[in-house]
Amino acid sequence: RLRLAVLFLLATALAITLAGALFLHQLRDDLDDTLDSGLRDRLADNISDLAADGRLDAFEPREEFTFAQNVDGTIIAATPDARGLTFTPQQRERALDKEAAFTKVINGHSTRVLVSNAPLGGGREALVAVGTRTAIADDAIERVQAALIVMGPIAAAVAGIAAWFLAAAALRPVEQMRREAAAISEHDPDRRLAVPATRDEVAALGTTMNHLLDRLHVA
């Protein structure tokens, strides 16, 4: 019973861990897709403005994260919180091809960034990026993670306790057979074990033991 309960507890803990990790990964992807959807509209507006006159309108003091630079790296315009943005070669390549989305710590804040290319006059191109902080999404992830950390062990423990009682119930007929077999002596050789009508392995064991007793009696 103890081995079955421990194995069931460990299997449940492993299943909860894998399912929780998969759920957190999927939740993060869904939250990133939601952020990207809003950023894509802002990005399209900025690209349209830049393509129209080669510049972006002056930013308000609390303007949302916006960044534009020439392909050679010179900054065209940037809000104060976006001036620390840099691109890896892979991100730059994806942005020039179509668009790149990534999460990066900028000025101490986790930020979701969407960057794409914008045509300029004379066949030139620029990179335009917009971003938003991921604090709300990160808080949602942390809440779910905390719930899994608290509830996961509780669920595994409940599963282990339930397995203990289920194993006890499943093995009770076997223990009963053992007592009956121990009680059979040479003085009552015609006595046989009570076989449950369950048609399972326990019933098969009782039938086999009764056949053995029959053969011993004949011998």
Side-chain angles (χ1 to χ4, degrees):
R1 282 185 297 174
L2 180 61
R3 287 196 297 269
L4 286 173
V6 171
L7 287 174
F8 202 82
L9 185 151
L10 293 176
T12 303
L14 179 62
I16 291 175
T17 300
L18 294 177
L22 181 62
F23 177 75
L24 286 173
H25 178 74
Q26 186 62 48
L27 178 61
R28 169 59 74 183
D29 286 345
D30 291 342
L31 291 173
D32 286 343
D33 289 343
T34 301
L35 294 175
D36 292 347
S37 179
L39 291 174
R40 198 165 280 112
D41 294 335
R42 287 175 46 204
L43 183 63
D45 292 339
N46 286 323
I47 289 176
S48 178
D49 294 341
L50 193 62
D53 52 19
R55 65 182 182 85
L56 295 176
D57 296 334
F59 297 128
E60 298 294 332
R62 298 180 62 84
E63 182 78 24
E64 292 184 283
F65 185 106
T66 305
F67 180 87
Q69 70 172 191
N70 291 309
V71 176
D72 61 8
T74 57
I75 296 178
I76 299 174
T79 53
D81 59 343
R83 292 191 175 276
L85 176 63
T86 58
F87 305 118
T88 66
Q90 293 80 9
Q91 292 166 352
R92 180 183 295 272
E93 183 177 348
R94 291 202 306 270
L96 290 173
D97 179 55
K98 186 177 180 182
E99 70 176 26
F102 55 90
T103 302
K104 189 172 186 177
V105 176
I106 302 173
N107 298 327
H109 299 284
S110 178
T111 305
R112 184 67 179 176
V113 179
L114 187 66
V115 54
S116 184
N117 60 337
L120 299 176
R124 296 179 297 117
E125 286 186 319
L127 293 177
V128 181
V130 293
T132 185
R133 292 181 182 178
T134 62
I136 296 177
D138 293 340
D139 183 63
I141 294 291
E142 289 174 1
R143 288 176 181 271
V144 173
Q145 191 172 18
L148 289 173
I149 291 174
V150 173
M151 299 304 298
I154 295 176
V158 170
I161 294 172
W164 171 273
F165 287 106
L166 287 173
L171 295 174
R172 192 173 295 118
V174 178
E175 176 61 18
Q176 183 178 354
M177 284 185 185
R178 187 195 66 78
R179 291 197 185 99
E180 291 181 3
I184 296 176
S185 68
E186 60 182 5
H187 301 294
D188 51 358
D190 294 331
R191 183 177 175 181
R192 296 293 180 266
L193 303 179
V195 178
T198 53
R199 296 184 180 181
D200 57 8
E201 289 83 353
V202 175
L205 174 63
T207 301
T208 302
M209 292 181 67
N210 282 337
H211 289 165
L212 174 61
L213 291 173
D214 289 337
R215 291 195 300 273
L216 289 174
H217 180 62
V218 171

